[in-house]
Amino acid sequence: RKEVEQDPGPFNVPEGATVAFNCTYSNSASQSFFWYRQDCRKEPKLLMSVYSSGNEDGRFTAQLNRASQYISLLIRDSKLSDSATYLCVVNPGTNDYKLSFGAGTTVTVRA
Amino acid sequence: DTEVTQTPKHLVMGMTNKKSLKCEQHMGHRAMYWYKQKAKKPPELMFVYSYEKLSINESVPSRFSPECPNSSLLNLHLHALQPEDSALYLCASSTRTGENYGYTFGSGTRLTVV
């Protein structure tokens, strides 16, 4: 079983729609969770860390469910510029410096 | 603008060439990383340097040789690469502050081996 699994999508949504997707992780001892955004042929950029109580940054909301071992990302009022691949990244707790990456969820927002 | 600077942005090299990738950060981060990313795949960890010492080598072939001259610089020396080594090579850095920290990635070097 992979350490981090994501629905690859693609999620094709119209502008203004809400889109949400999950990421599951296998190690219950995982400590830190992140969502990164990666545009085509660009580097990954940290979108947001995910905290136990859930957190929001503008139109983006991240949730953590430790009991079911998944994190989620919700994007409200989607913009064309939100089109990207969203990488779920987890610190599995085995080594502070080693993060596990999901394969990414592709989101395409259409006009 | 990224705070991790990688050079060159693009590199084409023959299988007998020797080249180096460079990475620089001035954020005071004490952990630096090399990742390799193939198209439509997530980044794969290659090396980790912590406080300028090699901390993790993910069984990378010896044709890739990392070097950390100081706390701000990270190099990746390349020699006798194969075409399948063509990929985006990403440098990243991080600092441990509390339980949550993330990487800052450089914009990468797109390497083509011919």
Side-chain angles (χ1 to χ4, degrees):
Chain A
R1 183 182 174 187
K2 292 181 182 177
E3 287 186 346
V4 180
E5 297 203 60
Q6 294 183 248
D7 181 343
F11 288 77
N12 294 308
V13 299
E15 267 189 296
T18 295
V19 59
F21 41 89
N22 294 340
C23 156
T24 59
Y25 58 94
S26 61
N27 188 340
S28 59
S30 296
Q31 299 172 349
S32 308
F33 309 87
F34 310 90
W35 284 106
Y36 277 75
R37 170 201 170 117
Q38 186 168 26
D39 294 297
C40 187
R41 299 178 68 83
K42 299 285 191 179
E43 77 275 20
K45 293 187 176 179
L46 180 63
L47 180 65
M48 56 199 303
S49 301
V50 186
Y51 301 118
S52 297
S53 55
N55 47 301
E56 189 174 305
D57 183 0
R59 297 180 294 106
F60 298 84
T61 301
Q63 296 282 351
L64 168 63
N65 185 318
R66 284 194 183 272
S68 300
Q69 294 182 210
Y70 74 87
I71 66 173
S72 63
L73 182 66
L74 181 145
I75 307 173
R76 284 186 302 278
D77 188 22
S78 300
K79 311 292 185 192
L80 294 175
S81 57
D82 295 332
S83 297
T85 296
Y86 292 85
L87 297 169
C88 173
V89 182
V90 175
N91 179 342
T94 54
N95 180 304
D96 280 332
Y97 294 111
K98 195 169 175 178
L99 301 182
S100 296
F101 285 75
T105 296
T106 299
V107 173
T108 302
V109 182
R110 61 183 189 275
Chain B
D1 288 344
T2 184
E3 296 176 83
V4 177
T5 304
Q6 288 188 244
T7 56
K9 294 195 182 305
H10 300 275
L11 178 63
V12 179
M13 62 184 290
M15 289 188 285
T16 59
N17 291 161
K18 285 185 180 181
K19 296 287 185 184
S20 296
L21 309 185
K22 297 187 183 301
C23 174
E24 189 169 1
Q25 59 90 12
H26 295 289
M27 295 179 285
H29 289 177
R30 300 313 297 267
M32 295 185 76
Y33 312 77
W34 280 114
Y35 275 82
K36 172 183 176 179
Q37 187 175 27
K38 302 281 265 185
K40 299 190 184 301
K41 298 287 188 183
E44 297 175 23
L45 182 64
M46 300 175 72
F47 302 103
V48 180
Y49 272 83
S50 172
Y51 292 86
E52 299 156 53
K53 293 192 188 318
L54 185 62
S55 173
I56 295 175
N57 176 341
E58 290 287 273
S59 302
V60 178
S62 60
R63 57 186 184 268
F64 295 91
S65 175
E67 178 196 17
C68 189
N70 60 55
S71 60
S72 300
L73 294 175
L74 187 65
N75 298 323
L76 186 63
H77 303 298
L78 314 173
H79 174 53
L81 295 193
Q82 303 297 311
E84 59 265 29
D85 296 321
S86 299
L88 179 66
Y89 287 84
L90 293 161
C91 174
S93 69
S94 74
T95 184
R96 292 172 60 188
T97 54
E99 66 173 359
N100 282 320
Y101 65 95
Y103 292 172
T104 300
F105 283 93
S107 56
T109 294
R110 192 160 297 280
L111 174 68
T112 303
V113 181
V114 297

